[in-house]
Amino acid sequence: MELETNYEISSTADFIHTRNFTRVALQFPDNLLKDSIRIVRALRAKLRSLRDSDGDNKDVGLFVMADTTYGSCCVDEVGASHIDADCVIHYGHTCLSPTTKLPAFFVFGKASISISKCVENLLKHALTNDNPVLVLYGLEYAYAIPHIREALTEASTSYVSGSKLEINFASVICSVINPAEDHKSIHGSADGSTTDESFGKEAGTRCAIGGLNWNIPEGHKMEDYLLFWIGSDNSAFANVVFTFNGCEIVRYDATEDSLVTDVSQQLRILKRRYYLVEKAKDANIIGILVGTLGVAGYLDMIHQMREFITRAGKKAYTLVMGRPNPAKLANFPECDVFITVSCAQTALLDSKEFFSPVITPFEAMLAFNRGSQWTGAYVMEFQDLIRSLPVEVRDQSEARFSFIKSGYIEDFDQQDTVIGKEDKEGALALENATEKALKLNDGNLNSIIKGTAKSGAEFFLSRSYHGLDINGDSSPEPYVIGRSGKASGYEDEKSKQES
């Protein structure tokens, strides 16, 4: 019975049956694979009973996907396409990013939580803080929110009637995503609730992050709220800290049953991101990492980012390699910086072990747009940047000061790197770039160093190693017969001992 409740077997079977899906992909993260066999058996039994009641003899194929192409929080449409699936049932932690082709049903799971302890800590901060409280949470705790609100209402009556408590709850965006729909316009939630009726009635700003959404009434801003996060210190919480770094944030860890008020570690990471932005300003060759093939709008973001980088007088290369790691990116030493286009919860890579920094599209917009300043605001979703990318990049001719190199530097002339219309077709662009690099090199292999090369071809010419060189006589050498026998005693060694 616990399996039926935790993994929503009935609602999942209804979703499959009512939409007449016949090939269903079940996507599991690594930590839930142990339950996949029992879930498949329960789903088959439930689907069989639904078919029998309707007189339908059509069979449904269930396929378990264990290893995702990119992050496990995104719907793996690439893996689902290999089995020609009609839909994807996603289990576990998710970013609820919109899909491109396939509909998806999300089963968030139900993590254990102490309702009384959570309400006690929530009330303590609400009463000692003058600001209104906004409750955000991991999606695995969405099922408990109605119980927390009910317990909060009962506990509030025991306090002085004159104390005014303003505690608001965000709601889950949806539990079903259809590729033809705008996911931000769907207001149904996984637990059947909608946005708090006492919060956001006024026509104000609508906010969304980590699969949650809420309204900010007119006359208010996010900095006016105390954010109370229910969940662990994961990528979803990091997104909250980065995006709303001007708010006071506390976290209730339901697993450890403890309250954490110190988020200085996340803020230190934000300072490091600013350092990476300054380092990216000196980059000339940019690698765009395709971090997703399923999130809607990723192709538009890649195309706009390439145009933006080219207008900034830099060279861009698009790389598709699955999940990036230091070994993979080390194969592209010519790239001074990498930009990863992925969902918000997998975009922040700790690039300390990488040879070149890895930044987000928002950080690239700050780095490559001359004169732009970081106001402290941080945008994680690349869909929000598609409409905000600057159409024209400011003049790059004037020298700028580099904090990394501690001096003024001049960027390359944009005309040297902009690809003409006649070069956009086929391999002509690469051919012209290589020919130009050979002319610029003029036989001197030491004239170009990393950081000054304007393309991969020029960087290749600057390398000291270009492959095996055949010098002198190329005739083969006579072969030599090696030793025979075992490593503990070769035959020639035994003959020496005997003599």
Side-chain angles (χ1 to χ4, degrees):
M1 193 64 184
E2 183 179 354
L3 182 75
E4 297 269 347
T5 305
N6 288 344
Y7 293 104
E8 304 177 21
I9 300 298
S10 297
S11 58
T12 304
D14 290 337
F15 171 78
I16 298 172
H17 181 71
T18 55
R19 300 201 179 196
N20 297 319
F21 294 133
T22 57
R23 299 179 67 84
V24 181
L26 308 179
Q27 180 179 338
F28 290 90
D30 293 341
N31 61 315
L32 296 182
L33 274 177
K34 61 183 183 297
D35 297 331
S36 60
I37 296 178
R38 293 192 298 157
I39 293 173
V40 170
R41 289 174 180 171
L43 275 177
R44 284 177 177 168
K46 187 64 177 179
L47 288 170
R48 190 180 302 111
S49 64
L50 291 175
R51 291 198 308 270
D52 294 341
S53 62
D54 294 345
D56 186 5
N57 297 325
K58 183 169 53 179
D59 191 20
V60 178
L62 302 177
F63 303 87
V64 175
M65 294 194 303
D67 187 19
T68 56
T69 307
Y70 293 97
S72 60
C73 62
C74 301
V75 175
D76 188 5
E77 292 190 274
V78 176
S81 65
H82 293 164
I83 58 173
D84 195 21
D86 301 323
C87 72
V88 177
I89 309 298
H90 186 284
Y91 292 90
H93 176 70
T94 177
C95 55
L96 277 182
S97 297
T99 56
T100 304
K101 299 178 181 179
L102 296 178
F105 182 85
F106 295 90
V107 179
F108 306 130
K110 298 180 179 181
S112 60
I113 182 174
S114 174
I115 303 296
S116 59
K117 290 287 187 180
C118 180
V119 171
E120 178 183 346
N121 286 281
L122 178 56
L123 278 175
K124 181 177 68 174
H125 276 276
L127 291 173
T128 57
N129 197 290
D130 296 332
N131 295 334
V133 179
L134 173 61
V135 179
L136 305 176
Y137 45 89
L139 296 178
E140 64 273 18
Y141 298 101
Y143 79 98
I145 297 303
H147 305 290
I148 294 176
R149 294 172 65 175
E150 182 180 354
L152 183 64
T153 303
E154 296 177 357
S156 300
T157 58
S158 61
Y159 290 89
V160 182
S161 59
S163 60
K164 181 181 179 182
L165 294 179
E166 187 177 351
I167 302 177
N168 313 287
F169 289 81
S171 62
V172 179
I173 293 178
C174 60
S175 60
V176 177
I177 286 182
N178 296 306
E181 299 178 3
D182 182 6
H183 77 292
K184 294 185 178 180
S185 65
I186 302 174
H187 305 310
S189 66
D191 59 290
S193 63
T194 56
T195 306
D196 189 355
E197 295 180 357
S198 63
F199 180 55
K201 274 188 175 181
E202 300 83 352
T205 304
R206 191 164 189 82
C207 301
I209 190 172
L212 305 175
N213 63 355
W214 63 94
N215 281 357
I216 301 296
E218 290 184 355
H220 292 75
K221 55 183 183 295
M222 276 302 302
E223 288 73 14
D224 297 335
Y225 291 90
L226 166 68
L227 303 185
F228 189 90
W229 172 263
I230 302 175
S232 58
D233 185 6
N234 52 17
S235 58
F237 177 65
N239 289 353
V240 171
V241 176
F242 276 38
T243 306
F244 306 117
N245 53 76
C247 300
E248 181 182 356
I249 303 175
V250 296
R251 180 174 66 89
Y252 174 70
D253 193 332
T255 304
E256 302 292 335
D257 192 18
S258 61
L259 194 68
V260 180
T261 58
D262 183 15
V263 294
S264 59
Q265 177 62 28
Q266 286 77 11
L267 294 179
R268 280 195 294 268
I269 297 176
L270 188 62
K271 293 179 181 179
R272 172 168 172 78
R273 305 305 300 188
Y274 180 77
Y275 163 75
L276 295 181
V277 170
E278 292 296 327
K279 195 171 183 179
K281 290 180 179 180
D282 298 336
N284 297 316
I285 304 177
I286 316 299
I288 302 177
L289 301 178
V290 182
T292 177
L293 295 176
V295 178
Y298 81 95
L299 279 178
D300 295 332
M301 185 74 255
I302 291 175
H303 293 327
Q304 292 195 25
M305 188 57 62
R306 285 183 62 90
E307 295 176 0
F308 176 69
I309 292 171
T310 303
R311 289 196 302 268
K314 304 175 187 298
K315 185 67 176 179
Y317 294 95
T318 304
L319 308 173
V320 182
M321 62 180 67
R323 299 180 184 180
N325 57 48
K328 289 180 180 179
L329 298 189
N331 293 315
F332 305 94
E334 64 271 21
C335 293
D336 301 314
V337 69
F338 295 95
I339 303 172
T340 175
V341 178
S342 64
C343 76
Q345 298 192 17
T346 58
L348 294 176
L349 293 177
D350 187 5
S351 56
K352 292 181 180 179
E353 298 181 358
F354 293 82
F355 291 100
S356 299
V358 183
I359 62 176
T360 65
F362 172 72
E363 293 166 347
M365 185 181 67
L366 291 175
F368 304 144
N369 188 23
R370 179 70 71 87
S372 61
Q373 295 181 353
W374 196 347
T375 61
Y378 201 94
V379 180
M380 298 296 302
E381 298 284 353
F382 68 78
Q383 292 94 341
D384 299 333
L385 291 175
I386 293 179
R387 295 179 296 272
S388 61
L389 275 175
V391 179
E392 295 183 359
V393 180
R394 301 182 184 181
D395 184 21
Q396 308 279 340
S397 59
E398 184 180 353
R400 61 176 178 83
F401 186 82
S402 171
F403 289 97
I404 304 300
K405 298 182 179 180
S406 300
Y408 285 93
I409 62 174
E410 292 183 355
D411 293 324
F412 290 123
D413 186 4
Q414 298 180 42
Q415 301 299 325
D416 292 340
T417 56
V418 174
I419 300 175
K421 294 182 179 179
E422 69 278 3
D423 295 347
K424 291 184 178 180
E425 300 293 336
L428 186 59
L430 178 60
E431 179 183 348
N432 289 348
T434 306
E435 182 181 357
K436 188 174 184 179
L438 291 172
K439 292 179 180 179
L440 290 175
N441 187 69
D442 196 22
N444 184 8
L445 296 180
N446 296 323
S447 61
I448 304 174
I449 60 174
K450 184 179 181 182
T452 61
K454 292 181 286 185
S455 67
E458 292 186 18
F459 178 80
F460 177 76
L461 291 174
S462 70
R463 302 181 67 173
S464 58
Y465 179 75
H466 294 270
L468 296 177
D469 295 328
I470 301 177
N471 299 321
D473 187 11
S474 59
S475 59
E477 296 289 338
Y479 67 89
V480 178
I481 300 177
R483 294 187 295 178
S484 60
K486 297 181 180 180
S488 58
Y490 291 102
E491 293 182 358
D492 59 336
E493 293 177 348
K494 291 181 181 178
S495 60
K496 291 181 180 178
Q497 293 175 359
E498 292 176 357
S499 61

